[in-house]
Amino acid sequence: MAFQSNFLERIPTVTRSLLIINVIMFVATLINENFMIGTFAMFYPASPLFRWWQPLTHMFMHGGWWHIFFNMYTLVMFGMVVEQALGTKKFLILYFVTGLGAAALHTGVEWLQYHQALAAADTALTQDVIDLFRTPMVGASGAIYGVLVAFAMLYPEARMTLIFPPVTLDAKWMVAIFIGIELLTGITGTQMGVAHFAHLGGALFGFLLVLYWRKRGELWRR
């Protein structure tokens, strides 16, 4: 217990709070998945399952143990550094702006899919509309990509190493590769069930926000 307490105390305020909220929401999902997903996951705005708060709450939902583990591991590893560099207020803004940006780009892509389906007349595409309405988006991944982009912009020469494959690159190149893979898989649809454009939305809004702060001379913590 002392180790856990000391570990949490070393994590900056916002990162620690986000970690705790995500874990609480995940435990609640394990207890009552249908209610949690139906209420707090992100559905397409035209779906009868959509609620106005879902663009915010979806980023605290996760679809499984590995999903939350990798997101929270990345949040702690990189969020700690970025929060210490930007300060509590700007890091909180970064996290929510990128999370909402992820939802916005994901919804924009769904809007295109929806209207393409409506423009067609066959039964398969009608089923595509039904599936789109029923399929939720969950996860902090969009905001996590925003944090990764911020880290790469703050510390572009920092060395990052993947566990598998064991590749080490500068942060700017590693994150650029991640984004390139997301773009490729999103366009080609080769990895279904993953909200690739949400990841790209988080990365894009993270880049724009950090660039804005940098141009105003407000990037680093004061």
Side-chain angles (χ1 to χ4, degrees):
M1 292 296 292
F3 171 78
Q4 293 176 351
S5 177
N6 291 336
F7 172 73
L8 288 175
E9 289 174 359
R10 288 197 298 268
I11 301 175
T13 304
V14 173
T15 303
R16 180 173 65 245
S17 299
L18 292 170
L19 172 64
I20 292 171
I21 294 170
N22 274 280
V23 170
I24 291 172
M25 294 289 281
F26 183 67
V27 172
T29 303
L30 293 177
I31 295 171
N32 192 336
E33 182 176 2
N34 289 336
F35 171 78
M36 293 297 292
I37 295 295
T39 305
F40 299 113
M42 173 77 183
F43 288 89
Y44 184 65
S47 169
L49 299 172
F50 177 77
R51 301 292 183 270
W52 64 265
W53 56 80
Q54 291 173 354
L56 180 65
T57 59
H58 86 278
M59 66 182 80
F60 297 102
M61 300 289 295
H62 288 88
W65 290 98
W66 286 112
H67 192 198
I68 190 171
F69 172 77
F70 282 114
N71 274 348
M72 294 303 99
Y73 175 80
T74 307
L75 172 64
V76 171
M77 292 295 294
F78 295 96
M80 291 176 63
V81 179
V82 175
E83 182 175 351
Q84 288 170 346
L86 297 180
T88 298
K89 181 180 178 180
K90 287 205 291 290
F91 182 72
L92 187 63
I93 292 171
L94 171 76
Y95 194 86
F96 282 102
V97 166
T98 54
L100 292 172
L105 187 58
H106 177 79
T107 301
V109 172
E110 286 188 321
W111 182 86
L112 292 174
Q113 294 171 339
Y114 173 65
H115 284 277
Q116 287 173 353
L118 289 181
D122 61 49
T123 304
L125 286 174
T126 302
Q127 184 61 46
D128 284 346
V129 173
I130 296 173
D131 291 342
L132 187 148
F133 281 5
R134 292 178 175 175
T135 303
M137 178 180 72
V138 297
S141 302
I144 297 300
Y145 264 82
V147 172
L148 282 173
V149 166
F151 177 84
M153 294 177 73
L154 289 164
Y155 306 103
E157 308 300 328
R159 303 291 279 173
M160 294 176 62
T161 302
L162 292 177
I163 297 175
F164 182 83
V167 175
T168 300
L169 292 171
D170 288 350
K172 60 185 178 183
W173 298 118
M174 185 72 79
V175 173
I177 290 171
F178 289 164
I179 293 171
I181 292 172
E182 290 294 332
L183 182 60
L184 178 63
T185 51
I187 292 174
T188 60
T190 53
Q191 190 178 6
M192 303 301 292
V194 178
H196 297 291
F197 287 99
H199 300 170
L200 291 169
L204 174 62
F205 276 77
F207 172 78
L208 294 175
L209 185 57
V210 173
L211 187 65
Y212 170 76
W213 282 331
R214 176 177 288 169
K215 287 188 174 182
R216 289 177 58 91
E218 299 175 351
L219 181 57
W220 295 94
R221 183 176 189 167
R222 295 181 180 179

